[in-house]
Amino acid sequence: MCLDCLSTPEEQAQKTRNNEIDKMIVVDRKVDEKIVKLLLLGSGESGKSTFIKQLKIIKGSGFDERDRAAAVSVIRSNLLQATKSILAAMAILYIEFESPEAESASKRVIQVLNEDAADVNEVDKINVSPDKLSDVSAAIVTLWKDEGFKQCFSRSKEYQLIDSAKYYLDKAAQICDPKFLPNDQDILRSRKMTTNINEYMFDIKRVQLKVIDVGGQRKERRKWISCFDNVTSIIFLASLSDYDLKLQENATTNRMKESIDLFATILQYPWFKKKSIILFLNKTDLFEEKILQSNIADYFPDFKGASRDAEAGKAFIRSLYEEKKPPPHEALTPRTSSRTTLARPTRTISRKCSRTFRRLSSDRI
């Protein structure tokens, strides 16, 4: 007896839909199997989102007019946050303005921020009304010429300040111009805290690459586990220039020590056994500038190199991460390798990424 003949039309229709769904699931699974799934991990401020922006430039379509327009408010917020951070630090560090004009300018900036963004602390959400932009711009330009303000900036390792502070302060008048439209470098240097799980697709030499970016702050890490399934490889980003900085979440914890501990933990995750884990030591350019004035040995006493030797410093920091690798004889040990990258120069990132992606693609295939 034909069982379908006993089914009602509604039941037959439902069975047909179920069969179609099953076929779609099989097709989607086959497509997904051909995708290289790359997970970006690292502590806060390590440069993961900047890495994604670099990929959009060198392997994607770059930034369109909508992206540039959306970045304007973030960049202005970064500028205002940097100014606010330096002014707050001047009071804490007992640094005085050199000129009365700068002191008046600081009062104007604080007044506007209190009026328009009194309860806002997020680095990408501080904005002032358009009619005050010109006034704020002039005040920030005045501040950036003041030796007291600059002295406080030079002591930024003693408080929280975004990496791009100097870049944006140099361009304050342009950024506050109502007609401002950011270029690629302006966008690459912008800081926007990642609080969600973001996925990006890239087509690289006939290989579909899915890159997953997750927040690096402590409170965001509980979301990571939802991204662990079917991961092809992990790129762990670590900022070389973090050796003398403290965590934003905990002012007593060294950022680099936190990053090293996090890297060691990730190497032990059962999800990543037999996976390829690539360590990117990021922000080499910032590190090479900083090491001329800040000795690694003051924060990591085991460093025995010369205080201004950037190459010795890089090698030492690389060793701190590499010594966290499990013993090679340990079963199911993750495969690890390392790269060093600049904070933002696209050409260098392109070469590093191309070599890495070719290897990932061959491993996958």
Side-chain angles (χ1 to χ4, degrees), residues 54-108:
Q54 291 281 8
L55 285 183
K56 290 187 70 173
I57 294 175
I58 63 179
K59 301 297 182 182
S61 57
F63 305 119
D64 58 24
E65 293 304 305
R66 185 184 303 177
D67 293 329
R68 297 183 193 281
V72 171
S73 63
V74 175
I75 291 169
R76 285 178 180 156
S77 178
N78 288 176
L79 170 63
L80 293 168
Q81 176 65 50
T83 306
K84 179 181 178 181
S85 297
I86 296 173
L87 291 176
M90 289 184 74
I92 296 172
L93 300 175
Y94 299 102
I95 298 174
E96 297 183 353
F97 294 103
E98 185 182 70
S99 69
E101 291 81 8
E103 187 165 4
S104 297
S106 72
K107 292 177 181 177
R108 179 56 180 151

Side-chain angles (χ1 to χ4, degrees), residues 14 22 39 41 45 71 79 103 112 124 156 173-174 205 211 213 221 228 326 355 364:
Q14 182 61 49
D22 289 341
L39 182 59
L41 297 179
E45 311 292 335
L79 170 63
E103 187 165 4
V112 171
D124 56 314
S156 59
Q174 183 180 342
K205 294 188 176 181
V211 182
D213 179 26
R221 294 175 197 167
F228 289 171
R355 289 196 294 267
R364 178 72 169 180

Side-chain angles (χ1 to χ4, degrees), residues 4-277:
D4 285 344
C5 296
L6 300 178
S7 302
T8 66
E10 291 77 9
E11 291 173 334
Q12 292 180 11
Q14 182 61 49
K15 183 177 180 180
T16 300
R17 285 194 293 271
N18 290 342
N19 289 336
E20 291 174 350
I21 292 172
D22 289 341
K23 290 178 181 178
M24 291 172 62
I25 291 174
V26 172
V27 170
D28 289 344
R29 186 179 295 120
K30 289 182 178 179
V31 171
D32 192 56
E33 287 174 352
K34 296 179 181 179
I35 294 175
V36 174
K37 187 177 179 183
L38 183 63
L39 182 59
L40 291 186
L41 297 179
S43 55
E45 311 292 335
S46 59
K48 296 186 300 300
S49 296
T50 302
F51 185 86
I52 291 290
K53 294 174 193 173
Q54 291 281 8
L55 285 183
K56 290 187 70 173
I57 294 175
I58 63 179
K59 301 297 182 182
S61 57
F63 305 119
D64 58 24
E65 293 304 305
R66 185 184 303 177
D67 293 329
R68 297 183 193 281
V72 171
S73 63
V74 175
I75 291 169
R76 285 178 180 156
S77 178
N78 288 176
L79 170 63
L80 293 168
Q81 176 65 50
T83 306
K84 179 181 178 181
S85 297
I86 296 173
L87 291 176
M90 289 184 74
I92 296 172
L93 300 175
Y94 299 102
I95 298 174
E96 297 183 353
F97 294 103
E98 185 182 70
S99 69
E101 291 81 8
E103 187 165 4
S104 297
S106 72
K107 292 177 181 177
R108 179 56 180 151
V109 171
I110 293 170
Q111 178 188 355
V112 171
L113 290 177
N114 286 339
E115 291 172 353
D116 291 17
D119 299 321
V120 181
N121 293 310
E122 292 89 342
V123 70
D124 56 314
K125 291 186 170 63
I126 299 178
N127 290 294
V128 300
S129 56
D131 61 303
K132 298 177 183 177
L133 273 178
S134 177
D135 197 11
V136 169
S137 171
I140 293 176
V141 170
T142 299
L143 286 170
W144 193 221
K145 293 177 181 178
D146 184 80
E147 291 304 318
F149 190 84
K150 287 183 177 180
Q151 180 189 349
C152 189
F153 166 79
S154 70
R155 294 175 61 179
S156 59
K157 67 182 180 182
E158 299 177 50
Y159 57 96
Q160 298 294 329
L161 186 66
I162 59 174
D163 291 335
S164 53
K166 182 182 184 302
Y167 179 84
Y168 288 148
L169 286 165
D170 284 340
K171 298 185 67 171
Q174 183 180 342
I175 290 170
C176 293
D177 189 310
K179 298 180 181 179
F180 172 63
L181 192 66
N183 59 34
D184 286 354
Q185 277 298 311
D186 297 335
I187 297 175
L188 283 172
R189 292 173 182 269
S190 65
R191 171 72 178 126
K192 184 176 182 179
M193 187 176 294
T194 303
T195 55
N196 296 312
I197 297 170
N198 301 305
E199 297 186 357
Y200 305 87
M201 292 297 299
F202 300 94
D203 191 353
I204 302 175
K205 294 188 176 181
R206 294 178 295 179
V207 174
Q208 287 291 311
L209 179 70
K210 178 188 287 187
V211 182
I212 303 170
D213 179 26
V214 294
Q217 285 73 22
R218 287 178 172 179
K219 64 181 180 180
E220 298 296 324
R221 294 175 197 167
R222 63 180 181 273
K223 303 175 185 177
W224 288 8
I225 194 170
S226 64
C227 306
F228 289 171
D229 289 339
N230 302 316
V231 168
T232 307
S233 296
I234 297 93
I235 284 185
F236 186 93
L237 278 93
S239 170
L240 283 166
S241 62
D242 278 358
Y243 67 88
D244 63 351
L245 299 178
K246 302 293 185 181
L247 278 184
Q248 186 170 3
E249 308 97 305
N250 185 338
T252 63
T253 302
N254 179 278
R255 282 193 196 178
M256 182 163 285
K257 291 178 181 178
E258 170 90 354
S259 175
I260 293 168
D261 290 343
L262 181 59
F263 182 66
T265 300
I266 288 171
L267 289 177
Q268 299 297 327
Y269 281 164
W271 298 276
F272 301 150
K273 298 301 182 182
K274 299 188 75 174
K275 300 294 183 182
S276 177
I277 299 180

Side-chain angles (χ1 to χ4, degrees), residues 240 279-281 284 314 318 338-342 348 352:
L240 283 166
L279 169 67
F280 268 70
L281 297 176
T284 306
K314 291 177 204 173
R318 185 195 299 267
S338 59
R339 307 280 189 275
T340 55
T341 67
L342 306 186
T348 302
K352 304 281 187 180

